[in-house]
Amino acid sequence: SHVGHARTYLSFDIMRRVMTDYFHYNVLYQINTTDIDDKIILRARQNELIRQLELDTSVDFDKLVILAKEALGEAKAKSDLKKEEIATAIEEATQNKDSRAKTEQEGLMEQHLVKRKNLDGDEAKIMELCGSSSSSSANKDARAKLLVAAKSVIAEKLDREKGHLITDHSVFNAHARQYEREFMEDMTALGIREPDVLTRVTEYVPQIIAFVETIIEKGLAYKSNGSVYLSLDSFQAAGHNYRKLNPAGPGGAATSAAEMAEGEGALGGGGTSEKRNPS
């Protein structure tokens, strides 16, 4: 969370107080919580895999060293590939004289370089800890320290290999509830009143599925590689105005590649989406 989130809820809290305390309106204040999405699934899954690894006595210090080095190598290779992809995108944007895309990709490159610097810092810590060895009791302590230092890269590796095995819904619910509690504590610390009603996405999954199925049946959406997309051609043909409130909508700038990637979600897989209206 960041200060922008705080401003949003603080602004609504002020309006709520004006309506209830000054105008004496009867206000029912509801907050919706997205407690399941790609990022939540991914992080909860990775945390559970790390928890299991921490308790797995069959993975001693020496085995963890091998795992950490393999995970580090894969993370660096992935980072190198990402850098090449961004550099290619910058070059293409320059050739096409697309200033918006070029600025966007340059920003992504800056972010990537910061992440790579952090990865290089983690590598130094990991390699230093991998060189530790002495008595079994010291190795136990070294194992714990190595697991902390290499948690990020190991979590990604384990998720690629074993993520599909984490299917217990309580794992994901516990993760979401933890951050929901922290959010409400932050709101209380800011003096923001609690909502009268708190609704969660997971409480309305059947209704969401029914809604999506309905718009597919009407021909306004279609399936592609595990995702469902709005059919803009059908939607507009039915008399609806897409992106009505977006200044960069029809006649303006198209959705950027980075925005589309964000929309695909953390578990999109990066494959061909067969999306009919890419931007």
Side-chain angles (χ1 to χ4, degrees):
S1 187
H2 54 73
V3 70
H5 294 147
R7 181 191 180 283
T8 297
Y9 291 98
L10 183 60
S11 297
F12 274 100
D13 186 64
I14 292 171
M15 289 188 284
R16 178 190 187 187
R17 289 171 185 267
V18 169
M19 287 189 284
T20 57
D21 299 352
Y22 184 78
F23 290 108
H24 303 293
Y25 288 129
N26 182 18
V27 175
L28 178 68
Y29 190 67
Q30 176 186 357
I31 288 181
N32 298 325
T33 300
T34 301
D35 60 344
I36 192 69
D37 66 7
D38 284 8
K39 292 180 180 178
I40 292 173
I41 292 172
L42 187 62
R43 182 57 61 86
R45 213 162 60 185
Q46 290 179 351
N47 286 347
E48 174 62 14
L49 288 167
I50 288 294
R51 186 191 71 80
Q52 293 178 5
L53 175 62
E54 186 176 4
L55 298 176
D56 188 354
T57 56
S58 68
V59 182
D60 58 16
F61 175 72
D62 292 333
K63 291 181 180 178
L64 185 62
V65 166
I66 295 173
L67 178 62
K69 288 181 177 180
E70 289 178 349
L72 182 60
E74 292 172 11
K76 291 173 65 178
K78 180 181 177 182
S79 176
D80 291 339
L81 180 60
K82 183 66 175 179
K83 183 178 179 180
E84 290 178 8
E85 291 175 351
I86 298 175
T88 299
I90 292 175
E91 184 178 350
E92 290 177 352
T94 301
Q95 293 175 349
N96 296 331
K97 297 182 179 180
D98 188 340
S99 59
R100 181 190 181 208
K102 184 172 182 290
T103 300
E104 180 179 68
Q105 293 299 326
E106 287 174 342
L108 292 176
M109 180 63 84
E110 288 181 10
Q111 295 175 24
H112 178 74
L113 292 177
V114 170
K115 292 179 181 179
R116 182 52 189 257
K117 182 177 180 181
N118 292 336
L119 178 59
D120 291 340
D122 289 342
E123 178 182 18
K125 296 176 184 176
I126 292 170
M127 297 310 295
E128 179 182 357
L129 290 169
C130 283
S132 304
S133 63
S134 54
S135 64
S136 58
S137 59
N139 272 356
K140 185 177 181 180
D141 182 56
R143 180 185 186 276
K145 290 181 178 179
L146 178 56
L147 187 55
V148 171
K151 178 181 177 180
S152 180
V153 293
I154 290 178
E156 288 192 12
K157 177 178 175 60
L158 291 178
D159 188 75
R160 286 192 296 271
E161 298 173 353
K162 303 179 180 180
H164 64 285
L165 300 177
I166 307 300
T167 58
D168 184 356
H169 287 189
S170 66
V171 170
F172 309 107
N173 288 336
H175 181 83
R177 293 294 88 77
Q178 174 190 342
Y179 289 101
E180 179 184 298
R181 286 193 301 272
E182 291 185 9
F183 168 77
M184 297 306 297
E185 289 171 359
D186 289 342
M187 295 300 102
T188 299
L190 290 169
I192 296 173
R193 290 176 180 173
E194 290 186 2
D196 298 308
V197 180
L198 176 66
T199 55
R200 304 181 179 96
V201 169
T202 52
E203 297 170 344
Y204 293 89
V205 171
Q207 293 92 327
I208 293 171
I209 292 174
F211 172 78
V212 173
E213 289 176 340
T214 298
I215 61 175
I216 291 175
E217 290 171 1
K218 290 182 176 181
L220 300 177
Y222 59 94
K223 299 178 182 178
S224 174
N225 291 340
S227 295
V228 176
Y229 299 100
L230 180 67
S231 176
L232 299 189
D233 295 335
S234 299
F235 188 73
Q236 292 172 331
H240 303 295
N241 192 344
Y242 179 66
R243 299 177 79 169
K244 186 174 182 179
L245 301 180
N246 191 334
T255 304
S256 68
E259 291 169 337
M260 288 189 288
E262 176 68 18
E264 289 296 325
L267 301 178
T272 303
S273 69
E274 300 173 357
K275 196 172 183 180
R276 299 173 188 170
N277 305 96
S279 60

